[in-house]
Amino acid sequence: MWKNIVALTENFLEAGYDVVVDWVAFWHDVKRYTAHWIEQALEVRYVILWAEQDVHVRRDQHRPSDVQMGERVLILRNEFLSSGAPDRYYLDNTESELSETIQQLQESEQFVLTDVHQSGAST
């Protein structure tokens, strides 16, 4: 899947578009697939949208039944917690409104990747 995501992203970047990849992206994938864009001085942001566990479960239950994740919600939470992603990339949106979350994503420098190899060293 990542090969396709990277190829599509490259095509849109070459055409002058900004690109948002809305995907479950673990830290090791981010480091692997974004390094060349960072080296080209492109702005790359990485954000893990986070909430209290009960909120994640409740949000999933409010999705249409054919797209609910069920127990996968808890599995993904644990995978993210053990992924090694620095704390700075977690954005707690437990009580945030969508507009507030979007504003934080767009304006906060905390989510900008500058050097993925160094970014993994600190939180």
Side-chain angles (χ1 to χ4, degrees):
M1 183 61 67
W2 276 105
K3 188 176 181 180
N4 291 331
I5 291 170
V6 170
L8 286 168
T9 300
E10 291 285 350
N11 289 338
F12 282 113
L13 289 171
E14 287 175 16
Y17 290 96
D18 290 337
V19 178
V20 175
V21 176
D22 181 5
W23 193 256
V24 176
F26 291 104
W27 184 237
H28 65 275
D29 293 319
V30 170
K31 292 191 298 184
R32 178 176 180 186
Y33 294 108
T34 64
H36 67 286
W37 293 321
I38 294 167
E39 290 168 4
Q40 295 172 33
L42 295 173
E43 183 177 294
V44 177
R45 292 174 179 259
Y46 177 59
V47 180
I48 302 167
L49 295 177
W50 201 252
E52 297 295 327
Q53 181 171 307
D54 62 320
V55 173
H56 275 155
V57 170
R58 189 171 55 252
R59 288 176 180 169
D60 184 54
Q61 292 170 344
H62 285 101
R63 292 184 178 120
S65 60
D66 62 326
V67 294
Q68 287 182 7
M69 295 174 39
E71 70 180 46
R72 183 84 175 122
V73 170
L74 301 178
I75 292 168
L76 282 173
R77 282 181 60 83
N78 290 330
E79 286 183 46
F80 272 106
L81 289 172
S82 63
S83 72
D87 291 344
R88 68 180 276 184
Y89 299 114
Y90 285 83
L91 174 58
D92 188 329
N93 68 349
T94 299
E95 297 181 16
S96 301
E97 293 295 324
L98 180 59
S99 60
E100 181 184 347
T101 300
I102 292 170
Q103 183 177 4
Q104 285 182 281
L105 295 173
Q106 292 175 328
E107 296 177 1
S108 178
E109 295 297 311
Q110 101 183 51
F111 305 115
V112 176
L113 296 172
T114 54
D115 182 342
V116 290
H117 301 292
Q118 289 182 354
S119 293
S122 62
T123 56

